[in-house]
Amino acid sequence: GEDVEQSLFLSVREGDSSVINCTYTDSSSTYLYWYKQEPGAGLQLLTYIFSNMDMKQDQRLTVLLNKKDKHLSLRIADTQTGDSAIYFCADASGGSYIPTFGRGTSLIVHP
Amino acid sequence: DGGITQSPKYLFRKEGQNVTLSCEQNLNHDAMYWYRQDPGQGLRLIYYSQIVNDFQKGDIAEGYSVSREKKESFPLTVTSAQKNPTAFYLCASSIRRGGVDEQFFGPGTRLTVL
């Protein structure tokens, strides 16, 4: 079945860039998402990328997609303490609009 | 303001009792979902509904039930048959925009079964 994998933790210093990585197995993925979850809250859509794109930039966020390797990354420039959260990668294929979520990566930003 | 509300935020129940979690949305979305979140496990789909009076089982539906009598409401009942009900429950709704299905999440209900 479909699978989305992420590392569980990432620790960075304030002001540095953060790169969160994700791999997926569904070759028919139509688009992929990044969601953010702050402590004790629901998920919030950060950005998404269509599978026919290589890169998408939105202010401090850069999404890179390597479709050949089925690898997705989210780069956060100038990471701030307010970026500390869990980041979920998810993919959706044309056959099902319901995304498959990874386990989430906890981003810890320290001074 | 449009959004999704879940109540209560924290819920405590004794083992063997059924409990119903509320989810309401005023976004006029047709599709609604229930997820369960456990530490380090990500989100697992319990039930979803694409339209009023219709719903389908997700990956972990056993021990749960839902109803969808109104577009705005999608309550989840955690029954005594659910073996390990303590978890964080998230409700979501979705809309298709620009060829992408965007999900909007509620703030969640943390259920603790004692």
Side-chain angles (χ1 to χ4, degrees):
Chain A
E2 301 161 9
D3 200 14
V4 178
E5 297 285 341
Q6 302 177 242
S7 54
L8 291 183
F9 298 99
L10 177 65
S11 178
V12 299
R13 188 174 300 170
E14 191 173 14
D16 286 351
S17 292
S18 308
V19 180
I20 302 170
N21 294 301
C22 169
T23 58
Y24 60 97
T25 58
D26 187 358
S27 57
S28 65
S29 290
T30 308
Y31 41 89
L32 298 109
Y33 308 88
W34 283 105
Y35 280 86
K36 177 183 180 182
Q37 183 182 33
E38 295 185 358
L43 276 69
Q44 170 192 0
L45 180 64
L46 279 180
T47 187
Y48 60 86
I49 186 168
F50 287 101
S51 61
N52 60 0
M53 296 170 67
D54 298 324
M55 185 180 89
K56 182 178 181 182
Q57 187 148 6
D58 184 0
Q59 299 181 332
R60 291 191 298 125
L61 304 179
T62 303
V63 178
L64 294 177
L65 176 61
N66 181 327
K67 197 174 179 183
K68 175 175 166 289
D69 294 338
K70 297 192 185 70
H71 182 267
L72 181 75
S73 68
L74 173 70
R75 179 177 179 270
I76 305 173
D78 187 25
T79 312
Q80 302 298 309
T81 54
D83 294 323
S84 293
I86 302 176
Y87 290 81
F88 289 91
C89 168
D91 77 340
S93 66
S96 169
Y97 59 91
I98 301 173
T100 299
F101 287 87
R103 294 186 175 196
T105 299
S106 288
L107 175 64
I108 301 158
V109 182
H110 54 90
Chain B
D1 283 336
I4 302 178
T5 56
Q6 291 185 244
S7 60
K9 190 156 180 66
Y10 299 97
L11 192 52
F12 297 88
R13 278 295 181 268
K14 290 184 179 177
E15 199 170 332
Q17 290 182 333
N18 291 357
V19 60
T20 298
L21 281 59
S22 164
C23 177
E24 304 279 330
Q25 55 103 355
N26 60 3
L27 300 166
N28 200 33
H29 291 170
D30 285 318
M32 296 188 73
Y33 313 78
W34 274 105
Y35 292 93
R36 172 182 170 137
Q37 186 178 19
D38 296 282
Q41 289 265 17
L43 272 66
R44 291 185 288 170
L45 183 66
I46 304 172
Y47 268 98
Y48 64 100
S49 168
Q50 295 173 265
I51 201 161
V52 174
N53 292 323
D54 187 46
F55 48 83
Q56 286 79 40
K57 292 181 180 179
D59 300 319
I60 55 164
E62 186 176 346
Y64 299 97
S65 66
V66 293
S67 62
R68 187 85 189 276
E69 296 174 4
K70 298 187 297 181
K71 189 175 188 177
E72 304 80 22
S73 179
F74 191 39
L76 173 75
T77 297
V78 184
T79 75
S80 55
Q82 169 49 234
K83 292 191 178 3
N84 187 16
T86 294
F88 189 52
Y89 290 88
L90 286 162
C91 178
S93 66
S94 71
I95 187 169
R96 178 162 276 248
R97 282 203 278 233
V100 175
D101 291 286
E102 292 187 34
Q103 286 195 321
F104 294 78
F105 284 81
T109 292
R110 187 166 297 279
L111 173 65
T112 303
V113 175
L114 306 169

